[in-house]
Amino acid sequence: MSYIPELRSLVGTRPLILPGAAVIVLDSHRRVLLLQRADTGGWGLPGGFMEPGESLEETARREVKEEVGLELDELTLMSVFSGADQYYRYPNGDQVFNVTTVYTAQAHHWRLQLDPVEASSAQLFSVDGLPDDLIAPEVPILEHYSRTVKASS
């Protein structure tokens, strides 16, 4: 049994504070890769929870590789997100307070290989054209990124 399912077997659906990483994967036009999550139906960044003994950068690289099959170039730390706006209740009732370290990166290649357990589709979006049905914890992350992009323009 892996770490989070083992915790869930002990605490049920009660809120867990879970560290993880997400990556704003950018193409050459600075569009953001989003996944339509298989478990929730909403759109989100590639990423996930840290495994015991793993660094946050290792988590970010592993999750992107597992979810979409991409190898990343250099990761650039954008920010860490935590607090009440990082609360999420999954459709199965599991509750989490995410502590998410977010990186930006380019990919080595753009041959996506989606893991159907993780994502039903993937698409590139401009920061001004993000989908309405973003997963709630992703909203402040993408708003922060959008402000950063606009400030540097």
Side-chain angles (χ1 to χ4, degrees), residues 65-131:
K65 179 72 172 163
E66 288 175 2
E67 293 178 358
V68 294
L70 294 178
E71 298 281 344
L72 298 175
D73 290 334
E74 181 179 335
L75 294 177
T76 301
L77 177 63
M78 184 178 83
S79 192
V80 177
F81 296 82
S82 60
D85 63 0
Q86 290 299 299
Y87 171 81
Y88 190 73
R89 180 185 207 114
Y90 286 89
N92 68 0
D94 289 352
Q95 299 172 68
V96 296
F97 282 93
N98 297 302
V99 179
T100 305
T101 300
V102 180
Y103 298 92
T104 60
Q106 299 280 329
H108 288 306
H109 61 79
W110 279 95
R111 291 183 302 273
L112 298 181
Q113 297 172 335
L114 292 182
D115 176 350
V117 172
E118 298 279 351
S120 57
S121 66
Q123 189 173 331
L124 290 163
F125 293 91
S126 72
V127 292
D128 294 325
L130 297 173

